[in-house]
Amino acid sequence: MKKHLLFLGPPGAGKGTQAALISQANSYLHLSTGELLRKEIDLNTVLGLEVKDIINKGQLVSDELVLEIVKKNLDGDHNGWILDGYPRNITQANSLNKVLINLNQPLETVFYLDIAEEVLIKRLLLRGRKDDNEDTIRTRLNIYKQTTEPLIKYYENLSLLEYINADRDLKTISADINQKMA
Ligand code: B4P
């Protein structure tokens, strides 16, 4: 069973949803950089105040800041882990490689949740989080295309990529991921 996983895909593809289901079922750590940043905002911490406007505009927070969060959370003993929403660009992917070499926990599979843009926009508008208004969604999708999408090729070249059709019901997608984790 694979224990070191990464979920990649556009905003609203269901990375967080699937990572939560799979991590609960296997007692893995679910490390969502988006969720951790939102927690800081809710708690009004110094970090939260620093990132609040950036996130609400749909932009990416700094690579250094996210790297610190990831390092802090990956440290320690875990049954396994799922990275959700990290890395989001090539710089973050290279930093992650270094962190994982130090931890001696190489990435085993990258699940790419593939889905059409029209479906994403509908899903996100329905979810209605603070950063889910039409303007912000467009910004997030544009940033995704420019900076995150190149990671598909990056991980494909490392023979780590598994395609998942994310336009299906939750259980069917989880079953597909589970099968590919075996
Ligand atoms: P994230 O928290 O990563 O959020 P996301 O990409 O929008 O959502 P996700 O793909 O997880 O979708 P979800 O399961 O919720 O990022 C938010 C922000 O944080 C970023 O814009 C950025 O500013 C910042 N950030 C995070 N990581 C960063 C990094 N590494 N570097 C810099 N900045 C970073 O699903 C969406 C909706 O669809 C839900 O309502 C869900 O119920 C529904 N859904 C899911 N699966 C479905 C299915 N199969 N069928 C129908 N509906 C489904």
Side-chain angles (χ1 to χ4, degrees):
M1 187 71 141
K2 291 178 177 153
K3 288 173 174 281
H4 302 137
L5 313 172
L6 194 159
F7 284 23
L8 179 66
K15 302 180 296 287
T17 306
Q18 290 301 328
L21 288 171
I22 306 281
S23 61
Q24 268 161 30
N26 296 286
S27 304
Y28 288 179
L29 169 76
H30 174 192
L31 206 171
S32 160
T33 41
E35 203 54 55
L36 290 167
L37 291 166
R38 279 189 291 280
K39 233 176 244 166
E40 298 284 340
I41 296 174
D42 289 346
L43 294 171
N44 262 320
T45 62
V46 175
L47 174 62
L49 291 172
E50 194 183 326
V51 300
K52 189 175 178 176
D53 281 348
I54 303 174
I55 291 191
N56 287 340
K57 280 188 204 144
Q59 290 157 357
L60 294 183
V61 310
S62 83
D63 294 338
E64 293 77 15
L65 201 152
V66 192
L67 178 62
E68 277 317 305
I69 293 181
V70 171
K71 276 206 266 191
K72 198 164 90 188
N73 283 276
L74 270 184
D75 207 18
D77 277 339
H78 304 292
N79 195 29
W81 43 254
I82 301 179
L83 296 178
D84 156 20
Y86 182 87
R88 262 177 153 91
N89 58 37
I90 302 280
T91 308
Q92 293 186 5
N94 289 330
S95 305
L96 175 65
N97 281 345
K98 288 184 196 147
V99 171
L100 297 183
I101 287 170
N102 279 334
L103 290 172
N104 200 17
Q105 295 179 19
L107 201 52
E108 290 167 290
T109 301
V110 175
F111 289 107
Y112 164 49
L113 278 66
D114 190 15
I115 191 160
E117 197 168 307
E118 315 84 74
V119 185
L120 297 175
I121 296 173
K122 272 191 209 144
R123 275 190 192 177
L124 292 173
L125 287 173
L126 258 179
R127 178 174 67 181
R129 212 167 61 193
K130 265 198 187 124
D131 58 340
D132 285 339
N133 59 73
E134 199 128 15
D135 279 354
T136 306
I137 294 170
R138 294 265 168 227
T139 306
R140 283 157 62 200
L141 283 172
N142 284 337
I143 293 178
Y144 170 77
K145 279 186 209 149
Q146 283 161 23
T147 72
T148 312
E149 216 167 49
L151 291 176
I152 299 170
K153 217 59 262 103
Y154 178 99
Y155 286 117
E156 205 166 42
N157 288 339
L158 294 171
S159 306
L160 287 173
L161 204 77
E162 282 282 1
Y163 278 81
I164 300 290
N165 171 2
D167 192 8
R168 296 177 292 173
D169 66 90
L170 297 182
K171 282 192 177 152
T172 310
I173 299 170
S174 306
D176 190 9
I177 294 175
N178 255 308
Q179 200 188 21
K180 288 174 171 145
M181 280 168 67

